[in-house]
């Protein structure tokens, strides 16, 4: 069997690019040059590179007028589904194309000791309630859980007063704001570390869920024979003065979609185990669990700027 060829190393592609008719090459060169006087040097670099790659793409696939128009319609439909509050179809599109994770990797080349980042996602809502250590953020049913740990600096010293902004889906696989039946603050909250960098979040075990498929991104997945599922996870945005903001997830270690996350966001270092605990566990009394629950422990490490 002949080895598979990637677009970056495809001889036929390279030959095709070398055979671009002079008139088409001239159009591309003129379009790139048109942005040559952009005063901001970084903006000039981004725009000229973008135009160059867009033209190269169109030439490589020999884009038809109908395909170009369908692309315009697709982007128009994507914009129509962005409400500026909960639904952000362009972020969803970026996620399923792997672009979000690529940008994340470029901008968060953390050292070996720092917690790895992952995608922000399109369902964050700012201004959620401040919650006390161990306070429940779950107002809908699910398997009771406690997520605890510490926030540390690269030297292993505790970070006091760090804020952990947390959000997740309900058991029906939908986020508050996305689901009108949920209170807006359901499964969302802002927790702070104590003087020893410790935090405790009372919640429910996250579940796997499909991203929204009722829009253009869903049509794209269907056309490309891809599933829409994300593995179960808990979102975190961790901030602390003098440290770089961390945006990451904690994934259930045994989720069936870990190897095929539709947005490519899973990293091995971010997997946690939810251990079963009986109702007589010391933490049950401390945090108000009336029956059995599950316990996950994780320490976040923040980078310095």
């Amino acid at each position: 069997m002949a080895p598979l060829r990637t677009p970056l190393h495809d001889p036929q592609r390279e030959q095709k690019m070398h055979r671009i008719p002079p008139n088409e090459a001239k159009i591309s060169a003129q379009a790139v040059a048109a942005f040559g006087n952009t005063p901001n040097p970084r903006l000039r670099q981004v725009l000229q590179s973008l135009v160059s790659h867009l033209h190269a793409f169109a030439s490589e696939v020999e884009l038809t007028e109908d395909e170009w128009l369908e692309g315009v319609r697709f982007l128009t439909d994507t914009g129509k589904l962005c409400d500026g509050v909960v639904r952000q179809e362009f972020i969803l599109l970026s996620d399923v194309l792997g672009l979000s994770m690529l940008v994340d990797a470029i901008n968060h080349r953390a050292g070996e000791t720092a917690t790895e980042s992952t995608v922000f996602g399109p369902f964050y809502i700012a201004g959620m309630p401040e919650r006390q250590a161990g306070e429940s953020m779950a107002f809908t049913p699910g398997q009771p859980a406690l997520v605890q740990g510490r926030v540390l600096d690269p030297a292993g010293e505790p970070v006091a007063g760090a804020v952990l902004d947390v959000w997740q889906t309900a058991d029906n696989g939908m986020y508050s704001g996305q689901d009108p039946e949920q209170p807006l603050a359901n499964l969302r909250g802002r927790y702070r570390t104590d003087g020893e960098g410790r935090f405790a979040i009372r919640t429910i075990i996250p579940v796997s869920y499909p991203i929204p498929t009722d829009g253009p991104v869903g049509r794209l997945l269907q056309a490309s024979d891809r599933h829409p599922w994300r593995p179960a996870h808990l979102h975190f945005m961790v901030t602390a003065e003098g440290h770089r903001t961390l945006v990451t997830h904690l994934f259930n270690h045994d989720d069936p979609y870990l190897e095929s996350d539709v947005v490519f966001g899973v990293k091995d270092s971010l997997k946690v185990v939810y251990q079963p605990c009986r109702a007589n566990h010391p933490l049950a009394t401390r945090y108000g669990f009336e029956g059995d629950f599950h316990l996950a422990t994780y320490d976040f490490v923040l980078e310095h700027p």
Side-chain angles (χ1 to χ4, degrees):
M1 181 181 294
L4 294 175
R5 295 178 305 198
T6 67
L8 293 179
H9 304 286
D10 188 336
Q12 292 183 359
R13 170 185 176 270
E14 294 172 0
Q15 291 176 11
K16 183 183 294 184
M17 294 303 293
H18 285 305
R19 294 199 302 267
I20 296 175
N23 183 52
E24 296 174 23
K26 180 180 178 181
I27 292 170
S28 297
Q30 288 176 331
V32 172
F35 294 95
N37 293 327
T38 304
N40 184 302
R42 173 60 176 170
L43 179 60
R44 181 171 63 249
Q45 178 191 15
V46 170
L47 288 174
Q48 289 190 311
S49 182
L50 174 64
V51 171
S52 176
H53 284 281
L54 281 175
H55 282 241
F57 154 74
S59 294
E60 178 186 342
V61 302
E62 296 186 334
L63 197 66
T64 70
E65 290 179 325
D66 286 344
E67 289 166 343
W68 171 80
L69 185 57
E70 182 60 28
V72 171
R73 292 190 183 116
F74 177 86
L75 293 175
T76 301
D77 290 346
T78 300
K80 288 178 179 178
L81 270 184
C82 299
D83 62 16
V85 180
V86 175
R87 188 68 181 261
Q88 229 306 349
E89 194 78 358
F90 271 114
I91 290 181
L92 203 61
L93 176 60
S94 175
D95 288 348
V96 304
L97 293 176
L99 181 60
S100 299
M101 278 304 298
L102 178 60
V103 173
D104 174 81
I106 292 168
N107 287 274
H108 296 90
R109 292 168 177 149
E112 293 182 359
T113 59
T115 299
E116 292 189 282
S117 58
T118 189
V119 291
F120 189 70
F123 297 109
Y124 172 75
I125 299 177
M128 289 295 99
E130 295 270 350
R131 302 195 187 278
Q132 299 301 310
E135 179 184 345
S136 178
M137 65 176 190
F139 305 116
T140 50
Q143 294 188 66
L146 181 70
V147 180
Q148 67 171 9
R150 297 180 299 164
V151 177
L152 308 170
D153 70 11
E157 294 298 318
V159 179
V163 176
L164 297 92
D165 207 336
V166 192
W167 66 104
Q168 69 178 96
T169 66
D171 249 16
N172 65 358
M174 298 180 73
Y175 292 88
S176 70
Q178 178 190 20
D179 177 9
E181 299 299 318
Q182 295 181 42
L184 188 62
N186 185 44
L187 294 165
R188 299 179 185 271
R190 290 163 55 86
Y191 294 81
R192 292 183 182 270
T193 58
D194 64 14
E196 297 181 14
R198 296 174 301 191
F199 66 88
I201 301 162
R202 185 173 167 183
T203 184
I204 58 175
I205 297 179
V207 298
S208 312
Y209 66 89
I211 64 171
T213 57
D214 59 339
V217 172
R219 298 200 304 269
L220 175 64
L221 292 177
Q222 185 176 18
S224 53
D225 194 25
R226 290 179 58 192
H227 74 69
W229 286 85
R230 293 222 64 201
H233 60 274
L234 189 60
H235 288 265
F236 286 86
M237 180 166 63
V238 188
T239 57
E241 186 176 353
H243 297 80
R244 189 173 185 180
T245 296
L246 170 68
V247 174
T248 195
H249 301 356
L250 292 184
F251 295 93
N252 300 21
H253 82 287
D254 56 353
D255 191 278
Y257 295 104
L258 289 171
E259 301 302 321
S260 61
D261 181 7
V262 67
V263 308
F264 314 100
V266 178
K267 297 179 180 179
D268 288 341
S269 66
L270 302 177
K271 298 175 184 177
V272 294
V273 178
Y274 287 85
Q275 299 283 2
C277 299
R278 294 295 186 185
N280 61 357
H281 193 286
L283 291 175
T285 301
R286 182 174 180 181
Y287 294 118
F289 289 99
E290 297 179 355
D292 297 349
F293 66 101
H294 289 75
L295 174 65
T297 301
Y298 193 89
D299 291 345
F300 296 99
V301 179
L302 302 184
E303 289 184 287
H304 293 301

